[in-house]
Amino acid sequence: MGNIVELSNITQRFGEKEVLKGVSLTVQSGEIVGLLGPSGAGKTTLIKIVTGQLLATEGKVRVDSTSREIGMMMDTLGLYERLSCYDNLKLFAKIYHIPDDRIDEVLQKVGLSEAKKRPVDKLSKGMRGRLALARAIMHEPKILFLDEPTSGLDPTTTNQIHELILEEQTKGMTIFLTTHNMAEAEKLCQHVALLHEGNIVEYGEPKEICRKYNHQKKLQIRLYDGKYLEIANNKGAAEIVQDYLAQELIETIHSTEPNLETVFMELTGSGLE
């Protein structure tokens, strides 16, 4: 797989404020890449630069696709409040010369078939999010940009959107995801970039990043009698664990590598919210 997005030394200033500070990043075709950081870290600004909505102050951007091969679901959904779900998508279909039968197909995919005639201003936040995602994927783009796609949604709706994202990836779509939800990033992304105050402070596979910052290197064991043990994760642990297992005393056992939230806090001194 080749690189479908290449960013080199992207800097963005608004007046005297430097929002992005020399960001470099590559995205391979067919992968989900997460840009992980708190509000104000520069995630949305970077997306706007990559999608051509904003011209970078400095740096180079290469995107191996045309504007018609890009799908976007931004935090401002841009839906027409008085139009129905169907008519919102029909307007978009006309612009992209998409057959009308694709509208019903996409509405079914996002679970909005029964709401197709309902005006957007009568939809819940979760339904609006699914409609915005339907619009973003209906022309089957080469690259899909999702800016905080599940922000503020309930767990059920969030899981439905996650399933749709993964389904589109299996078809070969490249997905660029911005989020401050580390669990979402760990679940969906092959690679994540941790963005803090306009800088990428760490990049890699989510689990590999967590292993890299596993300073404790311990095993946490909970026994059925309620006792909690923490032992060094080394050769000496094998005999101890084997003994407990032989006696069928272990209820749970975990290694102590941190999650992405903990890594981010270690690197920046602040959380992702």
Side-chain angles (χ1 to χ4, degrees), residues 89-103:
L89 296 188
K90 187 171 184 178
L91 182 62
F92 189 77
K94 284 184 176 181
I95 295 172
Y96 278 82
H97 306 291
I98 300 169
D100 285 353
D101 55 5
R102 173 65 176 162
I103 300 173

Side-chain angles (χ1 to χ4, degrees), residues 46-91:
L46 189 59
I47 286 284
K48 288 182 177 180
I49 290 172
V50 178
T51 56
Q53 300 174 71
L54 188 63
L55 185 64
T57 306
E58 296 175 14
K60 294 182 180 180
V61 179
R62 188 189 72 82
V63 181
D64 186 17
S65 66
T66 66
S67 59
R68 288 183 173 270
E69 294 176 313
I70 290 176
M72 288 183 285
M73 178 183 172
M74 305 301 286
D75 55 354
T76 52
L77 300 178
L79 301 170
Y80 293 94
E81 296 285 321
R82 296 185 180 181
L83 294 182
S84 67
C85 295
Y86 185 91
D87 287 341
N88 262 275
L89 296 188
K90 187 171 184 178
L91 182 62

Side-chain angles (χ1 to χ4, degrees), residues 233-266:
N233 189 358
N234 55 31
K235 292 181 180 180
E239 185 175 341
I240 298 172
V241 173
Q242 184 178 9
D243 184 51
Y244 280 120
L245 287 172
Q247 298 179 67
E248 298 184 346
L249 297 176
I250 294 179
E251 182 177 7
T252 63
I253 182 169
H254 300 283
S255 54
T256 56
E257 65 266 14
N259 57 33
L260 290 176
E261 174 85 22
T262 306
V263 171
F264 191 88
M265 290 184 68
E266 177 179 336

Side-chain angles (χ1 to χ4, degrees), residues 100-114:
D100 285 353
D101 55 5
R102 173 65 176 162
I103 300 173
D104 285 316
E105 179 185 336
V106 166
L107 284 171
Q108 183 178 7
K109 181 186 289 287
V110 300
L112 290 177
S113 293
E114 295 183 2

